[in-house]
């Protein structure tokens, strides 16, 4: 359920936030709505700058981060919280979130070359190297590995396959080419 507490899917030693109340009450819906109370973009450098693993490192650090707004009061985009439902999927399905995402969504949508793994993408024969622009005009390869927070949007995909996602969204039924991906109620949610 969208309203299941995230604590249901993690061991108490892995999942503890800044307050016991929030730890016990934050739901999948709260994570997707960015209303945990943690600051926007808080601690993105943990994964973006140091490429630390999520469960074994990043999640353990969240217990030390205090909220800057009241729980459920404000939208504040936070990759680290948005990632939690993806990792919760592992405890329900027995698959890694990458495996589940790729088999239950990407492949069913005909996205056969799309991947949620940076290393798979970079090792494919047909990929581009991402770059970023420094303020002095220098272009440098973008070497941040987004896999630790992949459930927050780590997807490597061609424009051609992205159209499949758009067709699925526009159709609005939860089906793609006659294959049920989601119940209509889940799709609408």
């Amino acid at each position: 359920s969208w309203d299941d507490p995230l604590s249901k899917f993690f061991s108490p030693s892995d999942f503890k936030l800044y307050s016991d109340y929030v730890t016990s009450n934050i739901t999948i819906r709260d994570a997707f709505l960015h209303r945990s109370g943690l600051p926007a973009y808080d601690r993105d450098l943990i994964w973006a700058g140091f490429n630390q693993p999520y469960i074994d490192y990043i999640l353990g650090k969240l217990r030390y981060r205090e909220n800057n707004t009241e729980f459920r009061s404000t939208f504040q985009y936070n990759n680290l919280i948005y990632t939690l439902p993806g990792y919760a999927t592992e405890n329900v399905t027995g698959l890694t979130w990458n495996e589940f995402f790729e088999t239950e969504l990407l492949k069913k949508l005909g996205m056969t070359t799309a991947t949620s793994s940076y290393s798979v993408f970079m090792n494919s024969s047909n990929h581009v190297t991402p770059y970023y622009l420094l303020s002095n005009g220098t272009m440098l390869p973008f070497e941040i590995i987004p896999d630790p927070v992949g459930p927050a949007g780590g997807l490597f995909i061609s424009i051609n396959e992205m159209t499949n996602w758009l067709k699925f969204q526009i159709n609005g039924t939860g089906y793609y080419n006659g294959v049920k991906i989601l119940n209509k109620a889940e799709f609408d949610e």
Side-chain angles (χ1 to χ4, degrees):
S1 165
W2 296 110
D3 296 310
D4 280 344
L6 284 165
S7 59
K8 173 180 176 179
F9 306 103
F10 298 94
S11 72
S13 62
D14 284 337
F15 184 68
K16 179 160 177 40
L17 298 177
Y18 48 89
S19 91
D20 291 338
Y21 178 79
V22 176
T23 300
S24 298
N25 289 283
I26 190 170
T27 64
I28 293 170
R29 184 184 310 273
D30 293 323
F32 284 144
L33 293 176
H34 297 286
R35 59 186 191 187
S36 70
L38 284 176
Y41 302 101
D42 189 45
R43 295 299 184 209
D44 273 355
L45 282 180
I46 290 176
W47 69 268
F50 300 103
N51 295 319
Q52 294 294 333
Y54 189 83
I55 296 295
D56 296 335
Y57 186 82
I58 296 171
L59 186 56
K61 301 299 181 197
L62 286 178
R63 70 189 68 199
Y64 305 113
R65 299 303 305 154
E66 292 186 32
N67 61 321
N68 68 343
T69 62
E70 189 175 325
F71 177 53
R72 293 186 178 143
S73 70
T74 308
F75 172 91
Q76 295 188 115
Y77 187 88
N78 188 294
N79 284 307
L80 301 182
I81 298 296
Y82 196 84
T83 297
L84 285 166
Y87 283 106
T89 301
E90 295 182 11
N91 294 321
V92 174
T93 66
L95 301 172
T96 67
W97 82 267
N98 300 74
E99 292 167 337
F100 183 80
F101 181 65
E102 291 182 14
T103 60
E104 296 301 315
L105 185 65
L106 299 181
K107 301 300 183 233
K108 289 182 178 180
L109 292 175
M111 299 178 179
T112 57
T113 63
T115 182
S116 56
S117 167
Y118 182 77
S119 61
V120 169
F121 169 71
M122 291 304 289
N123 288 316
S124 70
S125 61
N126 185 13
H127 74 273
V128 296
T129 299
Y131 285 84
Y132 65 97
L133 179 64
L134 296 178
S135 60
N136 68 3
T138 304
M139 296 288 288
L140 291 176
F142 186 76
E143 297 178 359
I144 295 172
I145 300 170
D147 289 354
V149 292
L155 179 61
F156 306 95
I157 187 169
S158 69
I159 294 294
N160 290 339
E161 289 189 355
M162 190 64 180
T163 61
N164 296 5
W165 172 257
L166 295 173
K167 290 174 190 174
F168 173 64
Q169 291 295 316
I170 290 168
N171 185 28
T173 64
Y175 283 80
Y176 180 78
N177 286 344
V179 175
K180 183 179 180 180
I181 308 295
L182 292 171
N183 292 326
K184 174 78 167 112
E186 291 169 337
F187 183 89
D188 291 343
E189 186 78 25

